[in-house]
Amino acid sequence: MVFFVMVRGVSMVKAMRIVLLCVSVLWFVPKECTCNRDFSRNSSSSPPLSPRPSLVNVGALFTYDSYIGRAAKPALKAAMDDVNADQTVLNGIKLNIVFQDTNCSGFIGTMGALQLMENQVVAAIGPQSSGIAHMISYVANELHVPLLSFGATDPTLSSLQYLYFLRTTQNDYFQMYAITDFVLYSGWRQVIAIFVDDECGRNGISVLGDALAKKRARISYKAAITPGADSSSIEDLLVSVNLMASRVYVVHVNPDSGLNIFSVAKSLGMMGSGYVWIATDWLSTALDSMEPVDSDTMDLLQGVVAFRHYTTETSMKKQFVARWKNLRPKDAFNTYALYAYDSVWLVARALDVFFREHNAITFSHDPNLHKTNGSSVQLSALSVFNEGDKFLEIILGMNHTGVTGPIQFDSERNRVNPAYEVLNIEGTGPRRVGYWSNHSGLSVVPPETLYSKPPNTSTANQRLYGIIWPGEVTKPPRGWVFPNNGKSLKIAVPNRVSYKDYVSEDKNPPGVRGYCIDVFEAAIELLPYPVPRTYILYGDGKRNPSYDHLINEVVANNFDVAVGDITIVTNRTRFVDFTQPFIESGLVVVAPVKEAKSSPWSFLKPFTIEMWAVTGAFFLFVGAIVWILEHRFNQEFRGPPRRQLITIFWFSFSTMFFSHRENTVSALGRLVLIIWLFVVLIINSSYTASLTSILTVQQLTSRIGGIDSLITSNEPIGVQDGTFARNYLVNELNIAPSRIVPLRDEEQYLSALQRGPKAGGVAAIVDELPYIEVLLSNSNCEFRTVGQEFTRTGWGFAFQRDSPLAVDMSTAILQLSEEGELEKIHRKWLNYKHECSMQISNSENSQLSLKSFWGLFLICGITCFIALTVFFWRVFWQYQRLLPDGGDEERACEVAEPSRSGRGLRAPSFKELLKVVDKREAEIKEILKQKSGKKLKTTESGAGSSHSQENEIS
C-alpha cells in the first residue's frame, strides 16, 4: 500500500505510456547501480512551488481486496479528515489522498508507483507488499523521495541499502526473535518452517534461523509454498513434513491464503495431540478481519499459538476503535489500520515542521533519465525532490504519540520498543496469554509497564499464562516424534575384542550384549514413547575400533547414536551430544609392584623428621620449665649442678613412659605437667597406631611413582588400542609418540607388564579406570595403580547434534541412578573375582607430620609461657620486698661506703636476683617473716620514744 504526496495533480498518461513505463522498470534499476551520480540538476521546467501551497495531495497504492487493504482504506480516509479538521497542523493547507489499486500484482503496483512518481511527489507511504517495496525503494533512492511503509515487514528492507525507506510498522526481525524465545521457553530445540516463497517469507525465516542458532536451536526443515498454491500442492508439502521428526511448525505466510494450510493439516490429522502450530502475525490479521469468525474456521485453529503486533492502549486508540464502526461498518478492523492512520499523521506533522522551518518544495530533472538512447520510453517526467534529504531528516526526528503508541525511530529506522501479543486460539476466539518485547522478553505484564525498569530477558524472568495445545492438551508437547517413514534408530555398537563384559557381539537378539547395552535398554524402557531401534556392530572384530572414527560416523549421519564404552571428552562434544554419564571414568597408571623390604629403622617411619625434631625439643623444653618451677619448692630438683642437669634430662624423657619418679609440688609445675602428659598421651597413641599399621599391613612399592615420573622417563607406555588415551598422552602431555605401545587385549596387557621395558614390554600402562578394575581382578592383584587419577570424565551415549532424544535419555539415566538400577546392572556384569586395593600405599603419605600435632604443641607452649610469667613475677615481687632490709652488715657497708655503691638500695642486681631464685621458698618466707617482725618492733619503739618525749615536755 503506497501513498504519494504530490503538490499538484497531473492527468493520467495514455495507455501506451503505461506499457512503456512498465518496460522502464527493467531498464531503470540496473541503471541506478552503474550510472555516474555526479550530475548537475537543471531547474524544472515547471515553475517552483510556493513555500506554503494551499493543497497537498497524497497518493495511495495498495490492494483494495485484501485483509490489509480493506482495513487500511477507511483508516486513511479518517486520517485525512482528522488532519484537515485540525487547525494546528499544516495551518490551512489541505491534505488530499488519491487511491490506486494494485490488484495483488507486483507489476501493476510498480507501474502505479511510477505513474504517481511522475507527478513530483515529495513522500510516499507504503507499499503493502514487501516485494513491491524492494522495487520502489530503488526509485525512492534515485528521486530522493522518503518512502514510508506500514505493511512491508521484510527484515531485509534495510536502511543501509534503501536510504529513503522508513517502516512505520514493526519489523519481522523482532517477531522472529519473539518466536525464538517462545520456542525455547517451551523447551523445544528444533522447528519446521512453513513459509510462502517470496521476499517476505524467505527473509523472515532466514532471520528465524539465525535467532534460533544463537540459542543452540535450529530449523530442521524449510518447507516453501509457492505463492497462490492450491490445496493439492499444500497437501503434498504437509505430507512430506509429517514424515519428519519435528512436530513444531512455524507458519509464516500471507493472511489472505494462510488458512488453507490449517484446512489441509486438519484433513491430514496434523491438528491433534502432539503437534505444535505457531503462526506469525498474519493469522491474527486474518482473524481480526473476520467479524464474526465462523465456527468452522475456529475449529481448524484450536490450540494454535499466534503473534500479533502490540499497540499501547492509549486513549487515542480507544477513541479510534470506538468510532471504527461508524467509519466503515462492513470492513473488519486489524492492527494495520492503526499503522495506516498513524502514517498519514506522521507525514502531515513532518510537513508542518518542514513548512514552519521556511522550506520550499522544489524539483529538478535528472540528466540520466533523459538519456534514452533513442528509446521511446519517456522518463523525463520523473523529477528529483531537491529537499528530500531535509524532509527525511525531519521525519526521522519526529517524536509524538499516535493511536499505535509512541512514534519514534531508532538508529536503524525501526520503531522503538517493538512488542507483540502472544495469543492462544481456543474455544470461540483468540485468548491472550502474554506479551513479548525486546526489553523484557516473554511476560504477562504489558510491556509499557516494564520500560521504566532495567532490561531483563533472562530465562528465569520469562513467563506466560497456561496454553491449551492441539488436542486440548495443557502440558507442552514433546515437540518431536520418531519419523513416520518406517526407519528405526540406527545404533552403532563398537565390536570389541577385549573387556567384553562392557559391550560385545551376541548371537541372540538384539545382537549385542554387555553392561553398556543393559544400561541403554533400561533407559529406553523409561521413555514415555516407543523407540524402534536396530543395533549395528562397528569394527572388524579383530581389534578394537577407533572410537573417534565411530563418533565421526555419527556426525556423518551414518548412525543416529553410538552406544558403548564411549568416553566423554572435549573434542568429541564439539560434534555430538552426549547423555548424562552412566559410569565414572578417568585415566590412571598401572605398574608392577613388589613387597617393600623390612628395615631395621622401621620404628622411625611413623613420624616425619620435623615431627621427631619438634617432639624431642619439647621434651627438653618442658623438662627445663618444670625444673625452674620446682627448684625452689622441691628438694628432688635441688643439689649440685651436675645432679640438677641429669634430673632435667631424666624427668623430660621419663614422662614419655609416665615413669618419672620426681613428684611435682608447686601448682604451676603441676599445671605444666598435666598439659604435657596429655600431649605425650596423644603422641604415644598416634605413634603406636602408625607403627602397628606399618609393621602389619603389607607394604608395596613401585619404581613408577605416577604420571609425572612417566613423563620424565624415556620408557615405553602401554595404552589400549582404539581409545583416546594415546591422543591425550601425545597432545596434552607431550609424550613422544614412539613411546606409546598400543595393546589389543588383556593378555597383551599382562604380558607387556610382566616383561618390562628391558624385555620388550612396557614400564606402565595408562588406561581408563573401569578397564583397570577388571585387569587388576583378573591378574590376581599382581599389579596396582600408582599415583592419582589424572583425568576426570565418564562414559555416555553419543547422539547426533541437537537430538532431542539425548535430553530424554539423560533424564532416564538420572532416574536409573536415583532408583539404584545402575548399581544392580553394575553388579550383574562387573562382579570381580578378586577385590584388589586399587592403589599402593605410600609410606611418605602415611607418616605423621607436624601438621597434625601443631595445635597440641601450641597449647603446651602457651601454658609454659604463662607459668613462667607468673613464676618470675612472684620472684621479682619477693626480691623487691627483700631489698630494703638486706641485713645489718650490708646496711653498714652501704652507710660506710656510700661512694662505692653505684646505685641505690632498690636498684636490682641480676646476681642478687639469681640468689633469690636459687633460695628455697621456705627460706624466703622465713626472711620475709623476720623482716616483718623487725619492722613491727621498730615501729612500736619509735612510738614509745615519742610518747616519753611528750611527757617530759609537758
Side-chain angles (χ1 to χ4, degrees):
M1 189 181 317
V2 181
F3 310 93
F4 291 92
V5 180
M6 301 180 292
V7 276
R8 60 186 180 88
V10 180
S11 62
M12 297 292 292
V13 296
K14 295 180 180 181
M16 182 60 72
R17 173 169 293 184
I18 294 177
V19 177
L20 295 176
L21 287 173
C22 293
V23 178
S24 69
V25 175
L26 301 176
W27 175 86
F28 177 75
V29 174
K31 181 80 173 179
E32 179 194 23
C33 300
T34 57
C35 65
N36 181 11
R37 301 189 61 88
D38 295 333
F39 54 83
S40 60
R41 297 189 173 115
N42 299 324
S43 299
S44 172
S45 58
S46 60
L49 298 175
S50 60
R52 297 189 62 84
S54 60
L55 178 68
V56 175
N57 293 327
V58 177
L61 184 68
F62 61 96
T63 299
Y64 289 178
D65 189 18
S66 66
Y67 285 129
I68 295 178
R70 286 192 292 269
K73 191 172 184 179
L76 295 171
K77 290 182 178 180
M80 178 186 67
D81 295 339
D82 292 345
V83 169
N84 291 331
D86 193 337
Q87 298 299 321
T88 62
V89 181
L90 293 179
N91 195 17
I93 299 177
K94 185 177 181 180
L95 190 68
N96 183 44
I97 298 179
V98 181
F99 294 94
Q100 179 85 25
D101 189 3
T102 62
N103 294 316
C104 285
S105 171
F107 177 76
I108 296 177
T110 303
M111 292 313 305
L114 290 173
Q115 291 173 23
L116 294 175
M117 285 289 188
E118 190 179 25
N119 295 282
Q120 295 184 337
V121 299
V122 296
I125 306 176
Q128 171 182 338
S129 168
S130 296
I132 298 176
H134 278 278
M135 301 184 67
I136 299 178
S137 294
Y138 289 107
V139 180
N141 282 358
E142 184 69 24
L143 301 182
H144 294 188
V145 176
L147 179 62
L148 289 75
S149 175
F150 60 85
T153 58
D154 181 2
T156 62
L157 286 167
S158 170
S159 60
L160 297 177
Q161 182 180 7
Y162 307 115
L163 300 178
Y164 287 83
F165 177 82
L166 184 63
R167 198 189 326 261
T168 58
T169 185
Q170 300 291 358
N171 190 338
D172 270 348
Y173 173 89
F174 301 105
Q175 182 172 205
M176 296 308 166
Y177 274 85
I179 293 175
T180 298
D181 286 349
F182 178 76
V183 169
L184 297 179
Y185 171 81
S186 302
W188 304 312
R189 290 292 175 179
Q190 293 185 21
V191 303
I192 291 179
I194 302 174
F195 61 98
V196 62
D197 195 13
D198 60 9
E199 288 87 352
C200 184
R202 287 191 303 271
N203 297 331
I205 294 303
S206 176
V207 173
L208 176 63
D210 294 340
L212 289 170
K214 290 181 180 179
K215 302 295 181 66
R216 291 200 64 184
R218 66 187 180 98
I219 298 176
S220 60
Y221 182 72
K222 295 181 179 180
I225 299 177
T226 305
D230 55 14
S231 297
S232 177
S233 300
I234 295 175
E235 181 177 355
D236 293 339
L237 180 69
L238 292 184
V239 168
S240 62
V241 164
N242 198 36
L243 294 176
M244 299 179 182
S246 179
R247 286 291 184 264
V248 182
Y249 306 125
V250 177
V251 185
H252 186 51
V253 293
N254 296 323
D256 298 283
S257 58
L259 291 177
N260 293 336
I261 296 175
F262 292 103
S263 178
V264 175
K266 182 77 172 180
S267 65
L268 295 175
M270 299 176 64
M271 298 298 297
S273 176
Y275 290 87
V276 178
W277 292 88
I278 304 172
T280 54
D281 66 286
W282 67 268
L283 180 57
S284 60
T285 300
L287 293 179
D288 291 341
S289 301
M290 298 178 184
E291 193 175 335
V293 182
D294 60 90
S295 59
D296 292 338
T297 301
M298 292 306 304
D299 184 57
L300 294 176
L301 302 174
Q302 291 298 305
V304 175
V305 175
F307 286 76
R308 178 167 62 192
H309 294 130
Y310 174 73
T311 53
T312 307
E313 296 295 330
T314 61
S315 58
M316 295 178 60
K317 175 184 175 180
K318 294 179 181 178
Q319 294 174 2
F320 182 80
V321 174
R323 60 184 279 215
W324 178 260
K325 292 184 179 180
N326 297 327
L327 296 175
R328 290 293 297 271
K330 294 182 180 181
D331 292 325
F333 175 81
N334 59 51
T335 56
Y336 286 98
L338 300 175
Y339 290 116
Y341 183 86
D342 274 351
S343 298
V344 176
W345 269 100
L346 178 62
V347 172
R349 293 181 184 277
L351 281 172
D352 184 64
V353 175
F354 181 82
F355 290 130
R356 288 179 184 274
E357 294 180 356
H358 306 291
N359 292 302
I361 298 176
T362 60
F363 292 87
S364 59
H365 292 300
D366 188 341
N368 288 323
L369 299 180
H370 290 267
K371 297 177 182 179
T372 60
N373 296 326
S375 173
S376 59
V377 178
Q378 299 296 323
L379 298 177
S380 59
L382 300 176
S383 302
V384 177
F385 181 25
N386 294 330
E387 288 78 19
D389 292 345
K390 179 63 176 178
F391 188 46
L392 177 63
E393 181 181 350
I394 292 175
I395 294 175
L396 292 174
M398 298 299 294
N399 184 6
H400 68 281
T401 301
V403 295
T404 59
I407 301 176
Q408 189 179 359
F409 300 96
D410 59 18
S411 59
E412 296 182 359
R413 301 184 184 180
N414 293 314
R415 289 281 295 265
V416 297
N417 298 328
Y420 291 85
E421 295 178 87
V422 184
L423 307 177
N424 181 210
I425 314 300
E426 61 166 314
T428 59
R431 175 177 62 93
R432 184 168 58 200
V433 295
Y435 307 88
W436 180 91
S437 71
N438 66 339
H439 182 84
S440 58
L442 298 171
S443 174
V444 295
V445 181
E448 62 268 17
T449 63
L450 301 175
Y451 291 147
S452 59
K453 301 178 181 179
N456 186 1
T457 58
S458 63
T459 303
N461 193 52
Q462 308 298 289
R463 187 187 170 195
L464 292 175
Y465 290 120
I467 296 176
I468 305 297
W469 304 96
E472 298 184 357
V473 177
T474 57
K475 183 180 179 180
R478 191 171 67 251
W480 69 277
V481 295
F482 283 95
N484 296 329
N485 50 15
K487 295 182 179 180
S488 60
L489 198 69
K490 294 186 297 184
I491 304 174
V493 177
N495 191 6
R496 295 191 57 88
V497 297
S498 61
Y499 301 111
K500 292 188 176 183
D501 285 340
Y502 290 109
V503 61
S504 63
E505 183 181 6
D506 190 16
K507 295 180 180 180
N508 300 319
V512 288
R513 63 191 297 269
Y515 168 75
C516 300
I517 302 301
D518 278 10
V519 172
F520 186 79
E521 286 291 327
I524 287 288
E525 293 299 323
L526 292 178
L527 299 182
Y529 47 86
V531 180
R533 53 198 179 276
T534 302
Y535 291 97
I536 303 172
L537 288 171
Y538 180 79
D540 56 9
K542 298 179 181 179
R543 57 181 298 182
N544 293 332
S546 170
Y547 282 45
D548 287 336
H549 293 166
L550 177 59
I551 295 298
N552 292 335
E553 292 292 325
V554 176
V555 176
N557 202 26
N558 295 327
F559 298 105
D560 297 310
V561 57
V563 173
D565 48 338
I566 304 172
T567 307
I568 304 173
V569 295
T570 304
N571 188 51
R572 294 171 182 172
T573 58
R574 298 189 179 103
F575 308 104
V576 295
D577 285 345
F578 281 95
T579 62
Q580 175 79 14
F582 57 87
I583 188 173
E584 292 184 356
S585 180
L587 292 178
V588 293
V589 178
V590 179
V593 295
K594 59 182 179 179
E595 186 175 354
K597 295 181 180 180
S598 179
S599 171
W601 303 101
S602 297
F603 68 90
L604 295 175
K605 290 183 179 180
F607 289 162
T608 61
I609 297 177
E610 294 81 5
M611 180 63 184
W612 280 117
V614 172
T615 302
F618 256 83
F619 270 107
L620 296 177
F621 174 70
V622 171
I625 296 298
V626 172
W627 177 85
I628 293 174
L629 299 177
E630 291 292 319
H631 181 69
R632 304 180 67 201
F633 299 89
N634 197 336
Q635 183 61 34
E636 295 181 355
F637 288 87
R638 301 184 65 85
R642 180 180 178 184
R643 179 186 172 186
Q644 296 183 45
L645 184 62
I646 294 174
T647 300
I648 292 175
F649 278 93
W650 167 254
F651 181 84
S652 299
F653 292 101
S654 62
T655 56
M656 179 184 299
F657 311 102
F658 305 97
S659 60
H660 52 284
R661 66 183 180 210
E662 293 81 9
N663 296 320
T664 54
V665 296
S666 67
L668 294 177
R670 289 176 176 177
L671 173 64
V672 172
L673 186 60
I674 290 174
I675 299 299
W676 173 242
L677 290 178
F678 175 74
V679 174
V680 170
L681 175 64
I682 299 300
I683 293 176
N684 278 343
S685 301
S686 302
Y687 175 85
T688 303
S690 179
L691 183 61
T692 301
S693 174
I694 292 175
L695 296 180
T696 58
V697 178
Q698 183 185 25
Q699 300 295 313
L700 301 177
T701 62
S702 174
R703 62 186 187 86
I704 302 297
I707 188 62
D708 294 331
S709 62
L710 277 181
I711 294 174
T712 56
S713 69
N714 293 319
E715 295 179 323
I717 304 172
V719 298
Q720 184 180 172
D721 194 15
T723 64
F724 80 102
R726 181 185 185 280
N727 291 336
Y728 183 86
L729 295 178
V730 173
N731 299 330
E732 301 296 331
L733 302 183
N734 298 320
I735 295 178
S738 59
R739 295 178 55 194
I740 309 300
V741 179
L743 303 173
R744 190 173 65 92
D745 52 27
E746 295 176 60
E747 293 181 1
Q748 290 190 0
Y749 269 45
L750 299 176
S751 176
L753 285 173
Q754 290 170 351
R755 294 197 311 270
K758 295 182 180 180
V762 296
I765 287 177
V766 175
D767 205 350
E768 296 181 72
L769 187 59
Y771 303 125
I772 297 306
E773 291 177 346
V774 178
L775 176 68
L776 297 184
S777 176
N778 294 339
S779 66
N780 295 327
C781 305
E782 183 179 354
F783 308 103
R784 301 293 175 90
T785 60
V786 293
Q788 299 295 324
E789 186 178 351
F790 57 93
T791 63
R792 292 283 184 178
T793 181
W795 290 354
F797 305 128
F799 287 82
Q800 289 184 1
R801 195 71 169 175
D802 300 323
S803 172
L805 186 58
V807 179
D808 291 350
M809 286 294 289
S810 292
T811 304
I813 291 172
L814 288 175
Q815 184 177 346
L816 289 174
S817 177
E818 293 171 357
E819 295 175 354
E821 293 299 322
L822 281 182
E823 182 62 27
K824 293 180 181 178
I825 298 174
H826 189 277
R827 289 198 301 266
K828 172 186 174 182
W829 288 97
L830 306 175
N831 191 11
Y832 306 121
K833 300 177 182 177
H834 300 87
E835 291 292 339
C836 303
S837 176
M838 288 295 297
Q839 190 172 7
I840 65 174
S841 60
N842 191 334
S843 60
E844 293 183 359
N845 293 336
S846 62
Q847 286 184 315
L848 299 175
S849 64
L850 182 62
K851 180 173 60 177
S852 303
F853 299 94
W854 71 268
L856 286 174
F857 289 128
L858 178 63
I859 294 173
C860 183
I862 292 175
T863 304
C864 293
F865 176 77
I866 294 174
L868 282 178
T869 302
V870 173
F871 174 78
F872 282 111
W873 176 83
R874 189 168 183 273
V875 169
F876 189 77
W877 175 76
Q878 291 177 344
Y879 177 67
Q880 291 290 332
R881 292 186 61 188
L882 291 173
L883 276 180
D885 301 316
D888 296 339
E889 184 179 349
E890 181 179 355
R891 183 184 310 221
C893 293
E894 289 175 351
V895 173
E897 301 180 20
S899 59
R900 288 192 294 175
S901 177
R903 53 194 169 185
L905 293 175
R906 295 185 178 271
S909 168
F910 182 72
K911 184 176 180 181
E912 296 169 355
L913 183 61
L914 288 180
K915 291 181 179 179
V916 174
V917 172
D918 188 54
K919 286 184 178 182
R920 296 185 60 183
E921 183 71 15
E923 297 179 5
I924 297 296
K925 289 183 178 180
E926 183 65 25
I927 294 174
L928 291 177
K929 184 177 180 181
Q930 294 177 1
K931 176 185 174 184
S932 298
K934 292 180 180 180
K935 184 176 182 181
L936 179 60
K937 292 180 180 180
T938 304
T939 304
E940 291 177 352
S941 61
S945 300
S946 177
H947 181 69
S948 60
Q949 289 179 0
E950 289 178 359
N951 292 333
E952 290 178 0
I953 294 173
S954 60

